[in-house]
Amino acid sequence: MPSTAVPVQPFTERLHTFVTRPRALADLQRYFGISRPSGTPAYTGGRFEHLAGGGDRPDIADRITAEDLVAVQTLSVTVPARVALDMLEGRLGARLSDLLQAIPRGTDMADAAATVLSDGSPADQAWKLLRDQPDVGWVIAGKLLARKRPQLLPVYDTVVRCALGRPRPSFWLTLHAALRADNRALHRQLLALREAAAVAETVSALRVCDVVVWMGHRAERHACPR
C-alpha cells in the first residue's frame, strides 16, 4: 500500500501540537534524566533502548533475549513467565527469530517502504504472533518489537493511543506517512528536538516522538475513552 494512500492530515496536526509544545524539550530532557528537579526520580523508560547495549545489536538483533524482557519492564509492562520462557527457549522464540531476520535493521521508519509495515509483512506477522500469546496483547507486543527495531517500529501504548487515536489502516502506516509528508518535515523536526535536548543519537526519532506524546498526554489520561 503506498504511503500516499494513507489519510494523515488530522493525525499529523495532532502530533505536531505535541512536538511543538513549549514543554516538549524539557519533557524529553526530564524523561532521559538530562534535566530534572532535585529529588525527582528518573524515568526507568530512559533505559529502554540502551540496556545491555540495545536490542538491535548485530549479535542479538534477530532473537529475543533476557535483557529484552527486562527492557520492556522499564516501560511498565511484564511478559508473562510462560511466554517469556517460550521466547527464550521454545518454539515461539524460533518463530520470532525467523520473522525478525526478515525485518530490516538500522532503517528509520521514514526511510522504509510502506510494504515493510503493511498487513502481512514480517513485522506485522511478528506483532500478531506476540499479540496473540496469553496475557500479552497489543501493548507488550509493540514494545518488544520496538526494542528489537527501535528505528523502524514505534512504541504505541494506551496513553499514546488516547492522544493520537486509532488511525486507519494502522498506526504504523499512518505514522509512516506522517513522517514522510512534506519532505519528511516531521522526521527532521524530531531529530532537531533530540539534538536541542542533548539526547543521545542512539535514541531514534520514533522514540523521541513517543516520549514527547506520552509525557505531554499522561496527565490527561482521565479523558481517554474506555
Side-chain angles (χ1 to χ4, degrees):
M1 176 187 301
S3 61
T4 53
V6 179
V8 297
Q9 185 172 354
F11 177 89
T12 304
E13 290 174 354
R14 179 62 173 152
L15 185 50
H16 187 262
T17 64
F18 284 98
V19 176
T20 58
R21 281 182 177 182
R23 61 179 280 187
L25 187 144
D27 279 348
L28 198 58
Q29 291 181 319
R30 193 151 59 95
Y31 186 90
F32 286 101
I34 296 168
S35 174
R36 56 190 173 89
S38 177
T40 303
Y43 287 86
T44 59
R47 295 290 299 144
F48 173 66
E49 41 273 298
H50 295 137
L51 182 69
D56 61 340
R57 291 193 343 251
D59 57 322
I60 62 161
D62 297 332
R63 59 185 175 88
I64 301 294
T65 69
E67 288 86 358
D68 296 328
L69 301 177
V70 175
V72 297
Q73 289 187 41
T74 70
L75 299 183
S76 303
V77 298
T78 301
V79 177
R82 288 189 182 277
V83 178
L85 289 172
D86 200 5
M87 287 183 195
L88 297 175
E89 303 176 346
R91 185 167 177 266
L92 176 60
R95 294 170 68 191
L96 284 170
S97 181
D98 287 342
L99 291 168
L100 285 168
Q101 289 175 44
I103 303 172
R105 183 177 67 85
T107 301
D108 282 340
M109 177 182 268
D111 296 326
T115 52
V116 172
L117 307 163
S118 297
D119 186 42
S121 67
D124 177 66
Q125 291 180 55
W127 181 80
K128 288 174 178 173
L129 176 61
L130 287 166
R131 178 202 63 186
D132 293 342
Q133 299 305 308
D135 300 315
V136 173
W138 61 276
V139 172
I140 296 177
K143 289 179 177 181
L144 275 167
L145 289 179
R147 165 74 178 175
K148 302 311 295 182
R149 296 293 185 272
Q151 294 170 255
L152 180 67
L153 303 176
V155 173
Y156 182 50
D157 64 7
T158 54
V159 175
V160 177
R161 186 175 71 177
C162 179
L164 300 177
R166 307 182 192 186
R168 295 290 180 264
S170 72
F171 180 77
W172 286 1
L173 285 173
T174 306
L175 180 57
H176 174 261
L179 290 169
R180 292 170 65 90
D182 300 321
N183 195 27
R184 308 187 186 193
L186 177 59
H187 180 74
R188 289 184 281 107
Q189 191 172 25
L190 290 167
L191 295 180
L193 183 58
R194 182 183 70 184
E195 182 178 3
V199 172
E201 291 185 2
T202 47
V203 175
S204 68
L206 289 184
R207 188 75 167 109
V208 171
C209 183
D210 165 55
V211 170
V212 168
V213 173
W214 188 85
M215 291 286 284
H217 191 68
R218 63 196 180 94
E220 303 170 17
R221 256 191 100 188
H222 64 277
C224 297
R226 299 296 181 182

